[in-house]
Structure formats: structure tokens, C-alpha cells
Amino acid sequence: MVSELCPVYSPFFGAMGCVASIVFTCFGAAYGTAKAGVGVCSMGVLRPDLIVKNIVPVVMAGIIGIYGLVVSVLIANGLKQDLALYTGFLQLGSGFSVGLAGLAAGFAIGIVGDAGVRGTAQQPKLYVGMILILIFAEVLGLYGLIVALLMNSRGNQNVERCV
């Protein structure tokens, strides 16, 4: 039964939240991986013994994509044909929350990782500082994940049934 609170287009917003969460976090993860990977390759020419140690930014960039995957799967599990508009909007918001935070985190990890591993090849004392900055960049994506999980969990609370 279609009502004012449960229009037929409500699942569209949930689906777009699902898409936004995985697409934007994967854009961030891909950029971070590529940018940091270029830095690791450039650093490996001068100091091939430090390649494994300096692969940390690439791994951290990949974790950003996992955040988006988790939220995307949770949103997809909540999608149904008779969805309240409120729930659809919350799913859209949670997708954008983790997606855009992941995009920003991926950019930060890529830039810091590239410069950090190149600098570490010349001055090994920079390694600890680089790791700390990478952790601060990674936590941006984690903030988006936390907000997305909170928003998505509120999607079915106090919502009238659409049927």
C-alpha cells in the first residue's frame, strides 16, 4: 500500500546510499593506494630494503574500502519494496557519510603516504611521524563509518509499517 510516508520511490534513496557508500570509499581507497604505491615504488629504487616496511600506507588505504563495503552490505540488507521514506533518507545519509569520509581519508592517506615513504627513504626517523599522521588520516574514515552505522541502525525505529 502506497502512502504519503511510504512512496514507491523510497527504495531508490536507500539504493543510492548503498551505491554512494561503496563507490566513494573505493574511489578514496583507489586514490590512496595508487598515490602511496607510486611513492613506495619511487622509494624502492633508492632503498629496496625498506619496501615491506613502507607498504603500510597502501594497506591503510585499502581498509577504507572495507568501511564502505560494510555499510553497503548493511544498507542492502535493509532494502525492501515497501520502505518508509524516512528509512530511505537515512540509508542515503549513511551511505554519503561513510562514502565521503572515506574519500577524504583516502586522499589524505595517499598524499601523506607518498611524501612519507619518500622522506623515510632519506631520513628513517620520519617513519614514526608518518605512521602517526596516517593513523589520523585513517580515523577520518572511521568517523564516517561510526556515523553511518548509527544512522542506519535508526532507520527502522519508530517507523510506521508501510503495509
Side-chain angles (χ1 to χ4, degrees), residues 7 10-11 25 33 70 87 95 97 106 108 111 141 146-147 156 160:
S10 294
T25 54
T33 300
V70 167
T87 305
S97 170
I111 293 167
I146 292 167
V147 170
N156 293 323
E160 293 181 23

Side-chain angles (χ1 to χ4, degrees), residues 107-157:
F107 271 59
I109 290 171
I111 293 167
V112 169
D114 182 24
V117 297
R118 290 176 195 243
T120 301
Q122 296 175 3
Q123 176 56 262
K125 292 181 180 178
L126 286 175
Y127 185 75
V128 173
M130 176 190 71
I131 295 297
L132 288 173
I133 296 168
L134 285 171
I135 290 169
F136 290 129
E138 178 83 26
V139 81
L140 297 175
L142 191 60
Y143 295 156
L145 174 67
I146 292 167
V147 170
L149 292 175
L150 287 173
M151 288 178 70
N152 194 46
S153 69
R154 302 286 190 263
N156 293 323
Q157 291 181 352

